[in-house]
Amino acid sequence: MTMPGTSRKSAAWQSVSRHVILLLAAFGMLYPLIWMAASSFKPDNMIFTQPSLIPSVWDFSNYASGWHALRVDFTTFYKNSFLISALAVIGNLMACSLTAYAFARLNFRFRRFWFAMMMGTLMLPYHVTLVPQYILFLNLGWVNTYLPLIVPRFLAVDAFFIFLMVQFFRGIPREIDEAAIMDGCGPWRIYWRIMLPLSTPVLATAAIFSFIWTYDDFLAPLIYLNDMRQYTVPLALRAFIDSSGGESLYGEMFAMSTLSLLPVFLVFLAFQRLIIRGVALGALKR
Amino acid sequence: MASLELRNVVKRFGAVEIIHGVDLTIEDGEFVVFVGPSGCGKSTLLRMIAGLEGISAGEIYIDGELVNDVAAAKRGLAMVFQSYALYPHMSVRKNLSFGLETMGAPKAEIRNRVAEAAEILQINELLERRPGQLSGGQRQRVAIGRAIVREPRIFLFDEPLSNLDAELRVQMRVEINKLHRRLGTTMIFVTHDQVEAMTLADRIVVLRAGVIEQVGTPLDLYNHPANLFVAGFIGSPRMNFLAAEMVAGEGEARIRGRSGLDLAFPAADPRRPDQEKVTFGVRPEHLRIADPTSAMLTGEVQIAEHLGGETFLYVSLPSGETIVVEIKGQAAVRSGERVGIDVDASACHVFGGDGLVIGRDAGSELPSSAARGEQAPAQAAPL
């Protein structure tokens, strides 16, 4: 009778130690986030002096003052961010799914070659095309507008989403297309009435990641937007820090940073089941 | 309703020719089954008729109208797919009406036709469900319903029963047969199952390697196979084949085999060479168990299968060949027993070295005319 008892005991120990290790690791990963959230409730002078993660005084004034701390208030920044993100999502979904449908189902000259070219762009770092792209948009007179951030999305530039959708479309049985052909559908109607409704998991995945990547993007808005009234939320957050050595509003910055996580968090919460289904479709990384 | 005519239809995938010039005429209202082993091109041929595959050479006429360049949807055909290919995101009702909506039919008419099809197939209570909530047999019905609502000129079935279990398959087979009687529409049905072919068809088209081997009514093919392939393919258990030679004689030839087979064979063509190597074929039900001392063939029973209604004996002959004997009813024969076998000389078939039948009577369709599709339209199958 001792054997089962000891094995059960050791199993329990293993379980406990595993959880302790996991908890420690999770805490390590979350620490910066917790520190930021905690600091957003502290007065400016206590942020770097009080080491405790739990503020001694809960001060919500950072949130109220942070919203209006800059020349332009955060209502505008959020509006800008949401506008750009929403248009990026719409553009990506429309353009990428159309492109993917063409690659997955239509026959055209050099299809394999174009597919390989498209996949090749996946390997190109953004920074390689940065300068030529800037010159292009400068000559078009688009710098200091949202166009460089939005228009390309309607031209299916995101090879990763195209690839993801091509893989998904290929998994839809061709007999369904053929049944639709017999029912009188052309390629457009098959795409719109058959393919898209059957592809909600991959569309949701693409939508979520499009949103998050655009909302979080710092580099592209930094390069193309100069006027503060056009700033997106990440750009605005940077404006709290005065790089010329003047006074930096740390408390307000942390408050607004914490707040800026909220949309991403909510989108994730709302769509996490779809994301899991989407991730299961294929390895997802970027 | 419509007739269909194929003229020297060829399909090539790149350099590979899959269908080698098929000629076939299907009359209005006929139920024609394409049967053959997998890879024989029967599905490809059906898809070419449907318009889902291009035609590399030759012509296809529906009701006398050349349809080579007519889009699939405009040919007035409906197809039932092997996997059913229902739209998973639409309700059954929507699945049925989708094609009509695409074609811009008036709403009232769509409603009527869907109701009618649902009535015929008894799927009224399923109309609001999604395909995912249906069983295999129900999905099959919906797939057929989707074809019915379009009121096509010709129904095309691409192995529609192969995903069903045995019991349901028999049931659906009967239903498709009833449907054909009710609608009277021309139907083309592809299968690799010769029982399905025999039970459903007015006429069977046997295909092998992209060539039509024979066309005829089920019993025609059974009683008068044009060649070795058709003889072996139609009928279960399959026809027995024994190596033999044909010895020319006056007025009649003799068929002699290694295990004592010796039969008079009428109507031997005098132009045929003497002692020609031939294949002798006889169906299991045309063999009789007889007294070993006087019977033509003797052998040892290897296996006796007692099915109740009939008994199958697998008998090994002295030559090493195995022959299957069917006995009606129950027979007290055990494995290991020595038995004599008599052959019903009037029901045997002889095939030459080229595999073609050596003619006994003029009643059967000759393979050359079958391959050219010149035969008269079939009478209704005796079902």
Side-chain angles (χ1 to χ4, degrees):
Chain A
M1 286 305 288
T2 49
M3 277 305 287
T6 47
S7 74
R8 205 178 306 143
K9 220 176 199 176
S10 73
W13 261 112
Q14 266 181 17
S15 172
V16 166
S17 52
R18 186 159 52 231
H19 280 88
V20 168
I21 291 168
L22 286 173
L23 276 174
L24 284 174
F27 182 76
M29 309 252 279
L30 284 173
Y31 180 81
L33 214 60
I34 299 170
W35 186 83
M36 179 182 80
S39 303
S40 73
F41 295 110
K42 294 176 186 172
D44 256 7
N45 56 3
M46 287 171 74
I47 290 172
F48 297 107
T49 51
Q50 196 190 56
S52 164
L53 276 181
I54 301 156
S56 49
V57 236
W58 289 87
D59 178 6
F60 290 89
S61 64
N62 283 334
Y63 284 84
S65 58
W67 194 270
H68 302 287
L70 301 172
R71 268 187 292 122
V72 181
D73 66 25
F74 266 81
T75 318
T76 310
F77 300 139
Y78 274 105
K79 265 189 203 156
N80 295 342
S81 267
F82 286 137
L83 176 76
I84 293 169
S85 305
L87 287 173
V89 167
I90 293 168
N92 261 340
L93 288 191
M94 279 175 32
C96 293
S97 66
L98 255 183
T99 313
Y101 174 69
F103 277 125
R105 283 298 202 261
L106 304 183
N107 271 315
F108 51 90
R109 269 166 164 272
F110 307 120
R111 179 171 69 163
R112 288 162 159 273
F113 170 77
W114 292 120
F115 190 72
M117 287 291 282
M118 189 269 298
M119 293 304 288
T121 63
L122 264 183
M123 284 147 222
L124 219 55
Y126 178 64
H127 315 88
V128 172
T129 52
L130 189 62
V131 173
Q133 234 173 43
Y134 183 83
I135 293 168
L136 174 82
F137 289 130
L138 189 67
N139 287 335
L140 285 172
W142 286 6
V143 170
N144 221 8
T145 70
Y146 294 145
L147 294 177
L149 305 178
I150 294 167
V151 173
R153 308 306 180 99
F154 284 84
L155 300 174
V157 291
D158 219 320
F160 177 71
F161 292 134
I162 298 174
F163 175 67
L164 202 67
M165 290 179 191
V166 165
Q167 293 305 101
F168 191 89
F169 289 165
R170 282 180 181 162
I172 296 175
R174 247 175 209 277
E175 279 199 339
I176 292 186
D177 292 45
E178 290 176 346
I181 291 173
M182 295 299 289
D183 269 343
C185 296
W188 273 103
R189 201 167 156 85
I190 293 176
Y191 162 75
W192 188 247
R193 295 295 303 271
I194 309 288
M195 284 300 201
L196 285 192
L198 287 179
S199 306
T200 41
V202 76
L203 295 178
T205 308
I208 292 159
F209 282 90
S210 265
F211 176 84
I212 292 173
W213 289 338
T214 312
Y215 180 84
D216 284 350
D217 191 17
F218 178 71
L219 187 58
L222 176 72
I223 290 163
Y224 291 110
L225 304 177
N226 299 323
D227 185 343
M228 192 178 245
R229 272 167 307 181
Q230 294 176 327
Y231 273 15
T232 59
V233 173
L235 274 190
L237 291 178
R238 196 210 51 153
F240 279 108
I241 307 222
D242 190 339
S243 49
S244 58
E247 194 189 0
S248 294
L249 305 166
Y250 284 109
E252 280 87 347
M253 182 185 75
F254 289 137
M256 288 301 105
S257 299
T258 308
L259 204 60
S260 74
L261 292 178
L262 215 59
V264 180
F265 189 65
L266 289 178
V267 165
F268 230 96
L269 266 191
F271 292 103
Q272 59 165 333
R273 287 182 58 187
L274 288 171
I275 290 187
I276 291 162
R277 279 171 71 189
V279 170
L281 301 174
L284 195 58
K285 57 177 189 214
R286 173 153 162 167
Chain B
M1 294 208 249
S3 61
L4 176 79
E5 190 182 350
L6 309 185
R7 280 194 208 153
N8 196 25
V9 166
V10 173
K11 179 67 189 178
R12 287 184 212 99
F13 287 112
V16 189
E17 196 171 291
I18 306 292
I19 306 279
H20 311 287
V22 164
D23 289 293
L24 182 69
T25 306
I26 294 173
E27 297 298 320
D28 187 9
E30 257 194 303
F31 197 126
V32 170
V33 174
F34 291 177
V35 70
S38 28
C40 70
K42 54 191 189 298
S43 279
T44 308
L45 197 58
L46 191 79
R47 292 166 56 83
M48 288 165 81
I49 295 169
L52 294 172
E53 296 282 357
I55 301 161
S56 308
E59 289 121 40
I60 296 181
Y61 295 88
I62 297 176
D63 266 344
E65 178 204 352
L66 183 68
V67 294
N68 279 32
D69 298 318
V70 176
K74 299 259 164 71
R75 295 189 186 187
L77 314 176
M79 185 147 165
V80 177
F81 292 87
Q82 182 171 4
S83 66
Y84 318 138
L86 301 176
Y87 310 122
H89 56 297
M90 298 182 192
S91 68
V92 169
R93 182 188 298 282
K94 197 79 185 158
N95 263 283
L96 296 182
S97 64
F98 184 67
L100 296 176
E101 282 169 16
T102 304
M103 280 177 260
K107 277 198 172 139
E109 193 188 338
I110 293 177
R111 211 175 312 123
N112 289 341
R113 287 212 212 171
V114 168
E116 199 181 329
E119 185 64 42
I120 292 175
L121 294 163
Q122 294 158 4
I123 50 173
N124 273 316
E125 68 283 9
L126 307 177
L127 282 177
E128 306 312 323
R129 293 205 206 159
R130 294 279 178 92
Q133 300 165 295
L134 304 179
S135 70
Q138 290 170 331
R139 282 180 210 184
Q140 178 69 80
R141 278 165 200 278
V142 176
I144 294 174
R146 190 168 61 180
I148 290 177
V149 291
R150 300 197 42 211
E151 296 181 358
R153 298 196 281 178
I154 302 177
F155 280 93
L156 308 174
F157 294 91
D158 189 5
E159 306 213 22
L161 306 183
S162 55
N163 286 344
L164 301 177
D165 60 48
E167 198 181 331
L168 207 51
R169 198 179 305 172
V170 174
Q171 200 183 321
M172 285 311 293
R173 202 168 74 198
V174 173
E175 299 224 3
I176 289 175
N177 215 331
K178 278 191 200 155
L179 188 70
H180 179 237
R181 273 149 202 259
R182 177 169 181 161
L183 301 176
T185 313
T186 314
M187 294 188 176
I188 305 176
F189 189 103
V190 163
T191 181
H192 58 265
D193 180 353
Q194 54 106 3
V195 177
E196 261 168 40
M198 294 292 283
T199 50
L200 283 170
D202 291 333
R203 272 199 304 156
I204 295 177
V205 176
V206 182
L207 286 149
R208 181 175 60 154
V211 172
I212 292 186
E213 292 281 333
Q214 193 175 1
V215 182
T217 65
L219 292 185
D220 212 8
L221 296 194
Y222 189 84
N223 295 330
H224 308 293
N227 53 48
L228 262 177
F229 176 76
V230 175
F233 193 77
I234 302 286
S236 173
R238 68 197 292 260
M239 187 185 280
N240 293 298
F241 293 118
L242 297 175
E245 59 179 24
M246 188 158 70
V247 184
E250 265 181 47
E252 61 173 28
R254 293 202 78 79
I255 305 294
R256 296 214 172 104
R258 282 182 289 161
S259 300
L261 181 76
D262 189 0
L263 281 173
F265 187 71
D269 187 338
R271 283 166 301 178
R272 293 203 88 97
D274 191 19
Q275 301 196 323
E276 183 188 359
K277 292 258 177 268
V278 295
T279 304
F280 172 80
V282 61
R283 295 203 183 273
E285 74 261 29
H286 296 132
L287 296 170
R288 286 184 311 276
I289 294 297
D291 182 1
T293 54
S294 61
M296 180 184 296
L297 304 171
T298 55
E300 186 181 320
V301 177
Q302 296 284 312
I303 298 165
E305 289 178 343
H306 301 280
L307 300 183
E310 61 265 308
T311 307
F312 293 113
L313 304 179
Y314 293 78
V315 181
S316 74
L317 301 177
S319 62
E321 291 160 310
T322 300
I323 192 166
V324 183
V325 182
E326 181 183 336
I327 304 170
K328 285 280 160 243
Q330 302 174 5
V333 185
R334 293 166 192 284
S335 33
E337 212 171 299
R338 273 194 79 71
V339 292
I341 301 168
D342 266 342
V343 180
D344 180 353
S346 68
C348 59
H349 308 264
V350 177
F351 303 95
D354 53 3
L356 296 180
V357 74
I358 296 177
R360 167 214 300 282
D361 48 47
S364 67
E365 290 171 15
L366 292 173
S368 55
S369 75
R372 268 182 275 123
E374 286 166 358
Q375 70 291 321
Q379 319 86 313
L383 279 170

